Amino acid sequence: MKEKLAGTTVFVLLYIVFMIPTYLLPYMGSNSTIINAASMLGNPFFWMHLLVMLLLVWLCWARGSVVGKTWLVIFPILALVFDLVPVLNSIPFVPTVMHLLAIILGVVGNTASQTATENA
């Protein structure tokens, strides 16, 4: 699977596919600050939101290890924190900025080995 992430198109498309639910699930109460933490654990939308965020973390970890940017994983981790932690999730646009940084920095500055993989 890591070899497929060497292609920038695959990375960007997968990231966007897994990112879209992070914008839809909050409308179903996945990160509501009104709901207390005890009832959040029984909320299936919270678990779906956590799952797609963890998939984004894994995707950036895999992409980062392929292109030599192991630090790339920090952006979806920060997006996860600002999406699901009460009080922090009321700060607007931070998860969006983190997602954009993950996509942009995951694509720009390709290493020589990645360019050779895409040309093959």
Side-chain angles (χ1 to χ4, degrees):
M1 180 66 172
K2 281 187 181 182
E3 296 80 27
K4 291 189 185 246
L5 291 176
T8 55
T9 306
V10 173
F11 170 70
V12 171
L13 288 177
L14 283 175
Y15 199 96
I16 290 172
V17 164
F18 290 130
M19 183 181 66
I20 289 172
T22 69
Y23 291 97
L24 300 176
L25 288 168
Y27 291 110
M28 298 172 204
S30 69
N31 66 350
S32 177
T33 56
I34 297 169
I35 301 172
N36 63 23
S39 63
M40 284 290 279
L41 297 178
N43 184 347
F45 298 116
F46 168 78
W47 292 109
M48 284 189 272
H49 198 149
L50 181 62
L51 177 66
V52 293
M53 291 302 292
L54 291 174
L55 285 169
L56 290 173
V57 169
W58 175 83
L59 186 63
C60 280
W61 171 79
R63 174 69 176 180
S65 64
V66 167
V67 297
K69 297 179 181 181
T70 54
W71 46 264
L72 190 62
V73 73
I74 194 68
F75 297 112
I77 290 173
L78 286 172
L80 184 149
V81 169
F82 277 91
D83 238 359
L84 297 179
V85 172
V87 179
L88 290 179
N89 65 4
S90 63
I91 302 172
F93 305 117
V94 173
T96 302
V97 169
M98 294 300 118
H99 290 309
L100 289 173
L101 285 171
I103 293 170
I104 292 167
L105 295 174
V107 170
V108 298
N110 296 340
T111 61
S113 63
Q114 180 189 359
T115 306
T117 305
E118 287 181 355
N119 291 335

